[in-house]
Amino acid sequence: MHRKRHNAVAVVVLMIALVTVACAPPGTATTIPVRLVRLGAGPKTTVVITAGGGAAVRVLLDTGSSGLVLHESAFGPQRTSTGKTITVTYVGLEITAGVVRAPVAFPQAATPLATPAVEVASFGGELPPNLAATGASGILGIAPGTAAAARPALLSPLVQLPAPFSGGFALDGVRPDRPEATLTVGAVAVRPGSVTIPLTRADFGYPGGSPGYRKTFPLCWTIGPAEACGPTSADTGAPRGIVASGLVPDAPHANGYVTTATPITIRSGATTLCAFETSPGDSPRFLDHPVLNTGIRFFFANAVGYDLVRGLVVITPNGGDPVSGSGRQL
């Protein structure tokens, strides 16, 4: 009789533990709506922010870069210059910008969400055409760091939010055939079927005192007959993705792109996270690049989160097709 009671208690404790792992505790996370804008080879993810107490504007949401780069017209009066300048590159763009300090807020967040005054980039002149075409006034890079160990020129505003919201983020529901997705800010949930991969410590820390991390993590790629495992960036800002020629030199390619009709599989251990066949106009770039880059299609098949408290990337397959965004996976 006592043994049965102990077993029942053990089951209850186990169930509670599973629920604790799967769900973020109340008040430790909030959500921000993400709008998808169709452009060229793939959709762009966008969110609404304010900077320096200015009007609400839409910016591209980029998981492959770090820091806010915003047109000067979008700032409000709460902005001070640092006297520094930086050059920012983003999918063919090269922007020279001044570094200013301004608070960044997320007016559409389910919970009021704002940073103190943080360093962001402010640029003038005409908006670059590929920004203007999306209705965005800038780029919000939310990667926790770069592929290198050094501190990025600008930190993501998300890691500069008050605790507990600085503890991580997850992007879920990205589909080319849907208008909206969800950015969760704060505690990152690990669900049944989630794959967790340790992040690599960087040589800097975040403002709250916690250690900083590189944005990349190891994944294994099969590209036609070629195979390689290496540092990978999960990047919403890259429509096609990148196969690094130094890491996978034998990948079938021509004219700077992976050859059309080449099967590509991305996996962690034995778990396939993304599988597709390249098509005309949508093949990954084949470049001399330090890391592999999934491109946005990886998010069609997975929710991707960065748990900066435990130092993990959390990838949860959602059954989506990385090519069409439908419920079919190859």
Side-chain angles (χ1 to χ4, degrees), residues 191-217:
R191 298 183 173 87
S194 292
V195 173
T196 60
I197 304 169
L199 291 167
T200 302
R201 289 271 187 99
D203 294 340
F204 66 92
Y206 300 130
S210 58
Y213 292 98
R214 301 188 190 199
K215 70 175 181 179
T216 53
F217 49 92

Side-chain angles (χ1 to χ4, degrees), residues 156-216:
S156 161
L158 297 190
V159 303
Q160 302 178 83
L161 289 167
F165 303 110
S166 58
F169 69 88
L171 182 59
D172 191 13
V174 177
R175 295 283 200 281
D177 54 352
R178 293 182 187 174
E180 291 191 346
T182 301
L183 177 67
T184 300
V185 178
V188 176
V190 178
R191 298 183 173 87
S194 292
V195 173
T196 60
I197 304 169
L199 291 167
T200 302
R201 289 271 187 99
D203 294 340
F204 66 92
Y206 300 130
S210 58
Y213 292 98
R214 301 188 190 199
K215 70 175 181 179
T216 53

